[in-house]
Amino acid sequence: MMERDLVMVHNRELHVRVWNRGAASTVMCWHGLARNGADFEPLGEALAAQGFQVLAPDTPGRGLSQWAEDPAREYQLPVYADQALALLDHYRVDRLQWVGTSMGGLLGIVLASNALAGRLDRLVLNDIGPELPTAALRRIVDYVRNPECYSSLSAFEQRIRELYAPFGPRDDQSWHQMAVDGSRRLPDGRFAPHYDPDIIGAFDESAPPLDLWSAFSSIQCPILVVQGGESDVLTDNIVARMQSRASSLKVVQIAGCGHAPGLHLNEHLVPLLSFLNKTALQE
């Protein structure tokens, strides 16, 4: 059963989904740039059933977590890294495994190569590598920075169905829940995405290109890469470069998905559960 916490971290209130509180083994799940911890509910339920404690925070500025007072300074990977470490302290987690989608995977690379180098047992990177192709980054930044507003939840849901079709197929109830979890009502009654439009932060096109290759190359723990078969973010070329720098890297390609596989279907979950349970990944 999922529980919800509000945790004060460096003077910011973070909303955290928690499964199987207090279990000996922990998996931290960190979502993508404009998403929230609700994306991990299917994975959280599956991991909890296998005995893991699962933590899935909403990054500040997303979902039910507090928005930044100084967006340019706070919406940055080093700040998120400090907040993640503080959350682990709060939950008294010593060792853990990390599942990161998109931005959450970049955060995982940063931490696995530095502050969590001696504490991280396994790392899952969901459709993300140490660099971001320029065209893909521009596409993401454009829709995140300029969120549309809708007069009804059903109209918002229709946009969600179009925007997140690359996550993979869903039934009507799942799409509806995604719209509910990903929307906020404005004072004028319209529905807008449930994030601060200023979350772009380090991903602004005026910032230097992201380059985490050195950090990635220093990671010592086993890594699983989940690649959307049609992804414009994690290209085959980037995956090949990752494999050349981490010979033990495991790659699972999810057909019918772009950026990023939603981790909500059985074919998404099985390879992750096998990897996080430290069993051999089936070829």
Side-chain angles (χ1 to χ4, degrees), residues 220-268:
Q220 297 300 309
C221 70
I223 304 171
L224 172 67
V225 169
V226 180
Q227 180 191 22
E230 302 167 15
S231 176
D232 62 342
V233 171
L234 185 61
T235 64
D236 290 341
N237 179 60
I238 293 174
V239 171
R241 290 182 63 193
M242 294 170 75
Q243 290 174 312
S244 72
R245 298 193 181 206
S247 59
S248 63
L249 186 78
K250 297 183 183 298
V251 180
V252 172
Q253 190 175 87
I254 307 295
C257 288
H259 181 73
L263 306 185
H264 61 289
L265 298 172
N266 190 57
E267 56 263 39
H268 301 184

Side-chain angles (χ1 to χ4, degrees), residues 107-131:
L107 182 56
I109 292 173
V110 169
L111 288 167
S113 65
N114 192 350
L116 291 182
R119 300 169 59 187
L120 198 62
D121 291 323
R122 294 205 161 196
L123 172 64
V124 177
L125 302 176
N126 184 22
D127 208 61
I128 196 68
E131 67 177 81

Side-chain angles (χ1 to χ4, degrees), residues 8 11-14 60-62 64-69 75:
M8 287 301 297
N11 296 316
R12 292 290 174 267
E13 184 179 82
L14 271 62
R62 291 83 162 172
L64 299 178
S65 288
Q66 189 174 357
W67 288 20
E69 293 182 3
Y75 294 145

Side-chain angles (χ1 to χ4, degrees), residues 15-30:
H15 174 248
V16 185
R17 290 170 173 82
V18 183
W19 289 265
N20 207 17
R21 186 188 303 274
S25 298
T26 296
V27 179
M28 176 75 87
C29 298
W30 211 285

Side-chain angles (χ1 to χ4, degrees), residues 7-10 26 28 30 53 55 81-96 98 115-116 119:
V7 183
M8 287 301 297
V9 172
H10 302 320
T26 296
M28 176 75 87
W30 211 285
Q53 172 177 249
L55 306 174
D82 287 343
Q83 292 166 335
L85 293 171
L87 278 178
L88 294 175
D89 288 344
H90 174 82
Y91 288 101
R92 299 181 180 180
V93 174
D94 181 25
R95 302 198 64 84
L96 70 148
W98 186 283
L116 291 182
R119 300 169 59 187

